[in-house]
């Protein structure tokens, strides 16, 4: 059985901690990047099953990261879920236009976070024989 690997690209330590905790509790293997360039390199290196992407990052914004991920050989089809506190009208569309698969709003709700991911990525995190 292969554990599902998730790359989280997020610069906020509390959000990183919470997402890592919830994902590991559900059997995911988690790798972290704290800025866009690091995230692009990490994704290229390990080809994760899922990418969680913050929009407000220290270098590139999440939209630019999503666009560049889609240009990387291994990340053309990888589910990318944008996780952001941006709630402005149009941001969801902007994220999807940049190549994101889905969108989860902060603050993260620990009770439903993994279910939200599974809604965007069917079977993600479920053990398969
Ligand atoms: Mn941020």
């Amino acid at each position: 059985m292969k554990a599902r690997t998730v790359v989280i690209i997020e610069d906020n330590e509390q959000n990183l901690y919470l997402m890592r905790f919830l994902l590991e509790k559900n059997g995911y293997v988690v790798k972290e990047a704290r800025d866009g360039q690091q995230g692009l390199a990490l994704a290229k290196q390990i080809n994760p099953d899922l990418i969680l992407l913050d929009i407000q990052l220290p270098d590139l914004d999440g939209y630019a990261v999503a666009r560049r991920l889609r240009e990387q050989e291994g990340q053309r089809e990888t589910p990318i879920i944008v996780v952001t506190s941006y709630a402005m009208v149009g941001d969801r569309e902007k994220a999807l236009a940049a190549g994101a698969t889905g969108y989860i709003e902060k603050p993260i709700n620990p009770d439903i976070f993994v279910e939200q991911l599974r809604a965007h990525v069917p079977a993600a995190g479920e053990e398969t024989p």
Side-chain angles (χ1 to χ4, degrees):
M1 261 183 273
K2 181 183 174 293
R4 296 241 173 195
T5 303
V6 183
V7 161
I8 307 176
I9 309 173
E10 163 71 88
D11 61 324
N12 180 283
E13 293 296 332
Q14 283 179 316
N15 286 326
L16 265 177
Y17 179 87
L18 180 58
M19 288 191 278
R20 172 187 276 279
F21 174 80
L22 294 169
L23 287 165
E24 286 182 344
K25 202 170 101 177
N26 283 274
Y28 292 81
V29 172
V30 177
K31 304 288 180 188
E32 300 171 347
R34 284 169 173 75
D35 64 43
Q37 294 290 359
Q38 209 186 345
L40 290 165
L42 185 60
K44 194 173 198 172
Q45 186 194 334
I46 68 173
N47 284 320
D49 300 298
L50 174 66
I51 298 169
L52 294 176
L53 176 61
D54 182 29
I55 290 297
Q56 290 176 293
L57 291 165
D59 54 353
L60 304 165
D61 69 27
Y63 307 116
V65 175
R67 282 192 294 270
R68 292 194 193 188
L69 282 168
R70 289 305 184 218
E71 290 167 2
Q72 292 191 162
E73 187 63 38
Q75 281 73 60
R76 299 224 165 98
E77 308 288 334
T78 310
I80 300 172
I81 308 301
V82 165
V83 184
T84 179
S85 52
Y86 276 30
M88 306 263 294
V89 175
D91 280 345
R92 193 178 296 251
E93 289 71 19
K94 205 172 161 187
L96 297 177
T101 312
Y103 185 102
I104 292 177
E105 278 180 25
K106 291 176 187 171
I108 292 155
N109 180 338
D111 296 330
I112 62 168
F113 176 68
V114 172
E115 279 174 47
Q116 287 176 306
L117 290 186
R118 287 179 179 153
H120 287 299
V121 188
E126 284 163 17
E127 301 276 331
T128 46

